Amino acid sequence: MSGFGPGGPFLADCPARLTVELLADKWTAVVLYGLSQGPVRHGELAGLIGGISRKVLTQTLRRLQTHGLVRRHAYAEAPPRVEYELTSLGASLLDPIHTLTEWARANGDAVLDALDTESEAEPVTRGD
């Protein structure tokens, strides 16, 4: 038996499921890690991360801010300056993200090998 059942930790309205869904986003962990060294401006964060569009970065930061993981600070100066930083709640996710990163380093080749094996086993179909 799996231990999951009615009333389990992954029900639709459960905080555990909300957290998993939030972290399952492609950019969440990367953005949180990018903010781990302290406050940073939007453009600097985009450069640190690489491969993320400014629009997607903005959407990700807004979602993380809404969930209490990131704080946005707009300075009253010209030109306008905005910095983002982790809240204590957001910083508390750095250890789990680090653990996942270490798992990926240790097991990444095995995952890639499994993908290669699976793709070799699949029959080739043609759209004739």
Side-chain angles (χ1 to χ4, degrees), residues 92-108:
S92 71
L93 279 170
L94 293 177
D95 283 340
I97 290 169
H98 178 73
T99 300
L100 285 171
T101 302
E102 291 303 314
W103 183 91
R105 283 187 183 133
N107 297 288

Side-chain angles (χ1 to χ4, degrees), residues 52-113:
I52 188 171
S53 71
R54 289 184 175 262
K55 177 183 176 185
V56 170
L57 178 56
T58 298
Q59 291 170 341
T60 302
L61 286 166
R62 285 181 182 157
R63 186 172 55 259
L64 294 173
Q65 184 180 357
T66 300
H67 285 86
L69 303 175
V70 169
R71 181 178 305 110
R72 178 184 188 271
H73 184 75
Y75 293 89
E77 54 188 45
R81 179 171 57 109
V82 176
E83 290 182 338
Y84 296 89
E85 65 181 330
L86 294 176
T87 63
S88 58
L89 183 62
S92 71
L93 279 170
L94 293 177
D95 283 340
I97 290 169
H98 178 73
T99 300
L100 285 171
T101 302
E102 291 303 314
W103 183 91
R105 283 187 183 133
N107 297 288
D109 288 338
V111 171
L112 291 174
D113 290 345

Side-chain angles (χ1 to χ4, degrees), residues 18-33:
L18 173 65
T19 303
V20 169
E21 288 174 357
L22 182 63
L23 288 174
D25 178 79
K26 178 179 180 177
W27 295 107
T28 295
V30 177
V31 169
L32 291 173
Y33 189 77

